[in-house]
Amino acid sequence: MRIVRDHDAYTLRSLADEAGMGYHAVRKLRRLGVIPPPYGGRTRAARFGSKHLEVLREYRRVVVDGRVTAAEFGERLAAR
């Protein structure tokens, strides 16, 4: 999934807050490739957009609720 920069710019912490998830959980999902890389690099300048937020909200709906595993979710994203 390719992320195109949009007008929303979240830091990792603000993205986690907006998605209703913990900061460390979102960091782990980023490391595992569940959410796409940020734009702006991998430093504190890294920013995430509305597409990243959509992925995290979908993750919460289907994985946290127990509908699919994290691995299955990642496979579904890769198939898009």
Side-chain angles (χ1 to χ4, degrees):
M1 174 191 291
R2 185 169 173 266
I3 296 295
V4 177
R5 188 173 186 158
D6 56 27
H7 67 281
D8 295 323
Y10 301 99
T11 63
L12 185 65
R13 189 167 303 280
S14 64
L15 179 70
D17 290 345
E18 193 68 29
M21 298 179 73
Y23 171 79
H24 293 287
V26 175
R27 277 187 67 195
K28 182 176 181 179
L29 293 173
R30 174 57 226 122
R31 277 194 319 273
L32 295 173
V34 173
I35 61 173
Y39 44 84
R42 292 182 161 216
T43 66
R44 292 184 187 265
R47 293 295 178 260
F48 299 85
S50 58
K51 297 294 182 185
H52 294 95
L53 183 58
E54 289 174 25
V55 169
L56 287 176
R57 286 180 172 161
E58 183 179 351
Y59 179 88
R60 279 194 67 206
R61 273 194 305 276
V62 299
V63 176
V64 175
D65 290 345
R67 296 181 198 163
V68 300
T69 66
E72 290 170 330
F73 183 81
E75 289 170 8
R76 288 181 182 186
L77 282 180
R80 287 185 187 176

